[in-house]
Amino acid sequence: MTQTLAGRVSGPVYTPNDAGYAPEAAGFNVLVQHAPQYVVAVKSTQDVAETIRFARENHLPVSVQATGHGTYAPITSGVLISTKALNHVSIDPATRTATVGAGARWEPVIAEAARHGLAPVAGSSTNVGVVGYLLGGGLGPLVRSHGVSSDYVVGYKLVTCDGETVEASAEHHPDLFWALRGGKGGFGIVTEVKLKLVEMRSLYAGSLFFEEQHIEAVLRGWVKWTAEADARVSTSIAVMRFPPFDFIPPPLRGRTVINLRFAYPGAAEEGAKFAAPLRALAPLYLDMLGELPAAQMARIHNDPDQPSPVWTSGMMLTHVDQDFATTVLRHVGAGVQTPYFMLEIRHLGGASWKDVAGGSAVGGRTGNFIIGLVGMHPPLFETVLPGATEGLRAELKPWLSPDMTINFMGKVRDAAHFDSAWPEAIRAKLKEVRGKYDPHKLFAK
């Protein structure tokens, strides 16, 4: 069977005993070791189509991976399609459109767009795969000024369960296009995406760091500030406990800080005025906020770019207030022992509340804030972090939103947990679209 599959595709086919199997199957989370029957390193949309036909003929499930940032559980059977080689990026400055392969990360898209004075509405990490991120919606550092990242998609190319290549857009297969903008997986294998870019050469952005003893003052001050924040300003705040490792920059190594992230896509002078109350919340430890070239947007969050063990979870909020701050401080305040590497709170709203014409499958549009929790110490992943998070969730019940968004879910426990990322009306429509385009349930969601 291996030779049969290899004869149908131009990219290499790996089985567990092959030297290239583990590297091709590896993702960003180093604790997840995939073990499917086959890993196909596709080089074209046609390779994807032939692999799907082979899997269908042999009753094998199909999974897909580009960078593997959203992977928390191993794939142990069937065929894993690796899209790493589909990493082409092209920019059409006349139409302000980017065409991006399924294996591309945000970094080259941002770099190429910047050459034309343009920028994508990307995520906080430029190391994340473009397609996987967009399929889940995307709440990036420009979320209040520019909205959800998937709102900028104008078309997808994907291969369906019968091996047919389909172009999904507002004009062609609009039901599928609706689902792919925020509905995540289970519809087919996306090989390319086209998205609109925005005019942006620079912005006033970056981050402010305050030392541990100022966590309470900064958190409470930011909560108060968000009540009247300009809709063009996107911020988040994160309590971070850096391990004493050599790869951590010396100013942060072994320290606990509270990091305030800020992005204003406008003039530096006006951005500085918006940021002034935040700078004044407490004595600054590091000031890394200023005029920033659009090509350097990754400096807003400074997310890690090297594979590592990681655990994440999240919860969406209807509002925040000082009682909320008091509750959070019990878990990550100064001197508190916590299992989290980071607890981040992102301010949503503004443009993210407005859906696109024709609608989309994005979950959580009604949320005002979202909490992201990150753990990086593997012995805590199975029981300690989940237990702490359930305790935190129980205490935050007065502020929890019934909505959620899939990119912040972390490890999905089961089908019901996966479905909970969308409100009932969207969930029902997604089920209908999946049933239409993948009636045999060939694809993992």
Side-chain angles (χ1 to χ4, degrees):
M1 286 176 63
T2 305
Q3 291 181 340
T4 300
L5 176 56
R8 294 170 65 168
V9 298
S10 60
V13 176
Y14 300 108
T15 57
N17 292 326
D18 295 329
Y21 176 91
E24 192 65 39
F28 192 81
N29 189 346
V30 299
L31 291 186
V32 176
Q33 304 293 319
H34 296 311
Q37 290 161 259
Y38 303 98
V39 176
V40 184
V42 297
K43 291 186 176 181
S44 65
T45 296
Q46 184 59 33
D47 277 359
V48 175
E50 288 296 334
T51 302
I52 288 172
R53 292 187 186 113
F54 171 86
R56 176 95 175 268
E57 292 161 9
N58 292 280
H59 310 287
L60 297 171
V62 176
S63 302
V64 63
Q65 177 174 273
T67 67
H69 274 78
T71 302
Y72 298 95
I75 297 163
T76 58
S77 64
V79 180
L80 172 61
I81 293 177
S82 170
T83 62
K84 292 176 183 178
L86 303 182
N87 59 1
H88 56 280
V89 175
S90 64
I91 306 295
D92 184 342
T95 61
R96 297 191 305 179
T97 303
T99 302
V100 183
R105 301 170 191 260
W106 280 113
E107 184 175 11
V109 182
I110 292 171
E112 286 297 312
R115 294 174 54 207
H116 306 283
L118 302 170
V121 179
S124 60
S125 171
T126 58
N127 191 51
V128 166
V130 173
V131 166
Y133 169 85
L134 290 173
L135 289 173
L139 306 176
L142 299 174
V143 64
R144 285 174 54 79
S145 60
H146 286 76
V148 178
S149 299
S150 62
D151 292 350
Y152 292 82
V153 176
V154 295
Y156 288 99
K157 179 187 289 185
L158 75 159
V159 183
T160 61
C161 67
D162 56 6
E164 296 300 316
T165 300
V166 169
E167 302 275 354
S169 66
E171 296 78 28
H172 304 285
H173 303 283
D175 58 341
L176 183 57
F177 183 54
W178 171 89
L180 292 169
R181 288 201 285 183
K184 208 60 177 178
F187 309 99
I189 303 298
V190 173
T191 62
E192 188 177 87
V193 62
K194 291 185 178 180
L195 64 151
K196 284 290 187 181
L197 305 172
V198 299
E199 292 185 10
M200 188 184 301
R201 293 187 180 275
S202 65
L203 63 165
Y204 190 81
S207 60
L208 305 171
F209 289 85
F210 303 85
E211 292 184 281
E212 181 175 7
Q213 63 266 34
H214 302 302
I215 288 176
E216 180 170 1
V218 174
L219 176 61
R220 291 191 183 280
W222 177 77
V223 164
K224 182 179 179 181
W225 178 89
T226 59
E228 298 181 357
D230 191 282
R232 296 167 293 173
V233 178
S234 301
T235 59
S236 70
I237 199 162
V239 177
M240 309 176 74
R241 300 184 184 278
F242 290 96
F245 297 155
D246 291 343
F247 67 85
I248 303 294
L252 299 173
R253 191 178 301 158
R255 284 183 172 271
T256 294
V257 296
I258 186 164
N259 177 206
L260 202 159
R261 291 85 176 265
F262 184 101
Y264 171 67
E269 182 178 352
E270 190 172 17
K273 290 180 181 178
F274 287 134
L278 300 175
R279 274 198 168 97
L281 290 177
L284 282 163
Y285 178 57
L286 295 173
D287 189 337
M288 300 171 66
L289 176 58
E291 188 170 11
L292 191 68
Q296 298 180 24
M297 279 195 283
R299 289 172 52 189
I300 299 172
H301 281 247
N302 290 300
D303 285 348
D305 60 4
Q306 296 300 315
S308 63
V310 64
W311 175 97
T312 68
S313 186
M315 53 192 85
M316 189 162 276
L317 309 172
T318 57
H319 66 290
V320 296
D321 54 26
Q322 294 304 319
D323 289 339
F324 165 83
T326 298
T327 303
V328 170
L329 288 166
R330 288 201 294 268
H331 291 261
V332 294
V336 175
Q337 295 298 312
T338 175
Y340 302 115
F341 161 70
M342 180 179 75
L343 182 150
E344 181 192 30
I345 310 165
R346 298 191 186 193
H347 188 196
L348 307 179
S352 71
W353 284 337
K354 184 179 179 181
D355 204 349
V356 292
S360 70
V362 172
R365 279 201 191 268
T366 62
N368 285 291
F369 295 84
I370 194 163
I371 293 179
L373 302 162
V374 179
M376 298 189 72
H377 188 44
L380 307 181
F381 286 7
E382 292 300 318
T383 58
V384 175
L385 281 162
T389 301
E390 285 310 303
L392 176 62
R393 187 183 302 275
E395 291 188 42
L396 291 179
K397 188 175 180 180
W399 299 276
L400 289 183
S401 167
D403 290 343
M404 190 50 185
T405 189
I406 189 63
N407 284 354
F408 276 75
M409 290 283 284
K411 184 177 181 179
V412 175
R413 298 188 299 271
D414 50 35
H417 186 216
F418 178 81
D419 287 343
S420 69
W422 295 273
E424 178 56 37
I426 293 179
R427 187 160 63 240
K429 190 173 178 180
L430 285 172
K431 183 178 180 181
E432 179 182 327
V433 178
R434 285 195 183 96
K436 177 180 176 180
Y437 288 93
D438 184 23
H440 306 287
K441 298 183 178 180
L442 182 71
F443 302 116
K445 287 192 286 187

